[in-house]
Amino acid sequence: MPSLGSLFGSFTGANQKKYADQAFQQSSSALQGGYDQGRAQMEQYNTQAKGYLQPYAQQGGQANQRYGTYLGLNGADAQQGALAEYAGHDPFRQHNEDMATRAMSRRYNQMGMLDSGNSRYAMSRAMLDRGSQDYESYLNRLAGMGQQGYGASSALASMDSGLGNSLGQMRMGLGQQQAGNAIQYANARSAADSILPNNLIKLGGLAMQAYTGRPTGMGPQSQDQSSKGGRAANQWGYL
């Protein structure tokens, strides 16, 4: 059986206000908590996925910078330094050059022309051609790595953009839900505020009915008809 305090709270609307407050706080907390958890998970997976691409983007950026240096985009001094570094620190190029020189030396040696002017010219020309081909091949590899880095960087940018759009949509949805929640809460509070005045009006009507002995809302004509009916009933012996 409800206690007197609970009955009084229901009569005044205090209970309804308390329940509305609790429901609003719980729903608001659930909405915000769901958004925060979803955002944290999305950012976590986005960071994890970007970690797979960042090494390619970083290496591609370095290759692109070096490629620009060889083309002279960073100044003549930087270009000369890069060329000197390439000439002294490319074992693959040196290996190709040594293999080509040995092959030509064996051929001219078999012909008895190892130390001839033709052999020296041919080997010099071959070394020059080989060096140009190796250098061009090296630049092409740098350009390829630069393109690879560009692709990885584009993917990273797309991932961040997609995350931003998704979080924006989530935040907009949260705002809409919070607005609807606030409207429902205001309606519930307004309804609770009207409980006490309505109950007091009803109590007043009951008190008036008890005092006058007839239902409230009866006008003079109704009262007169009620009196006539009562007299007629008395004449016929009803009362």
Side-chain angles (χ1 to χ4, degrees):
M1 181 176 180
S3 64
L4 181 62
S6 177
L7 292 174
F8 182 77
S10 297
F11 177 82
T12 60
N15 288 347
Q16 291 81 347
K17 292 179 181 179
K18 180 179 68 175
Y19 299 146
D21 292 344
Q22 292 176 350
F24 178 72
Q25 293 174 358
Q26 292 174 357
S27 60
S28 297
S29 177
L31 287 173
Q32 188 64 48
Y35 170 80
D36 292 340
Q37 183 178 2
R39 175 170 184 167
Q41 290 180 349
M42 292 177 65
E43 291 178 343
Q44 175 185 350
Y45 290 127
N46 184 69
T47 301
Q48 181 178 347
K50 287 170 61 179
Y52 300 129
L53 294 173
Q54 284 172 345
Y56 298 97
Q58 182 178 3
Q59 291 177 356
Q62 293 173 349
N64 185 69
Q65 183 178 6
R66 182 176 291 271
Y67 182 78
T69 300
Y70 279 111
L71 295 181
L73 300 180
N74 297 321
D77 292 340
Q79 184 184 33
Q80 292 298 323
L83 291 173
E85 180 182 0
Y86 165 77
H89 300 86
D90 187 2
F92 181 74
R93 181 195 64 81
Q94 188 63 46
H95 175 74
N96 282 344
E97 182 178 314
D98 292 343
M99 291 296 291
T101 301
R102 290 173 186 175
M104 294 187 68
S105 296
R106 286 194 299 268
R107 188 178 67 175
Y108 278 100
N109 186 41
Q110 292 173 358
M111 298 169 56
M113 301 174 59
L114 179 60
D115 196 30
S116 65
N118 289 336
S119 66
R120 288 194 295 270
Y121 173 78
M123 284 190 287
S124 298
R125 182 63 182 269
M127 291 174 61
L128 180 61
D129 291 341
R130 171 60 62 181
S132 297
Q133 292 174 7
D134 289 342
Y135 181 66
E136 183 178 357
S137 176
Y138 180 70
L139 290 181
N140 288 337
R141 294 198 301 273
L142 288 178
M145 289 194 67
Q147 288 297 320
Q148 175 182 279
Y150 173 77
S153 298
S154 297
L156 291 172
S158 178
M159 292 171 64
D160 283 339
S161 177
L163 175 64
N165 291 333
S166 297
L167 290 179
Q169 292 295 326
M170 284 179 57
R171 187 61 186 86
M172 184 181 299
L174 174 63
Q176 293 174 346
Q177 290 177 322
Q178 288 176 331
N181 198 31
I183 292 174
Q184 293 180 355
Y185 173 66
N187 291 336
R189 289 282 301 189
S190 178
D193 288 338
S194 66
I195 291 177
L196 179 60
N198 290 336
N199 286 337
L200 290 177
I201 292 174
K202 292 178 182 178
L203 278 181
L206 291 175
M208 182 65 69
Q209 181 180 352
Y211 179 76
T212 60
R214 55 180 176 271
T216 58
M218 295 182 61
Q221 184 177 0
S222 299
Q223 296 176 10
D224 183 63
Q225 291 177 353
S226 176
S227 300
K228 291 180 180 179
R231 288 195 297 272
N234 291 333
Q235 292 176 0
W236 288 97
Y238 295 149
L239 298 176

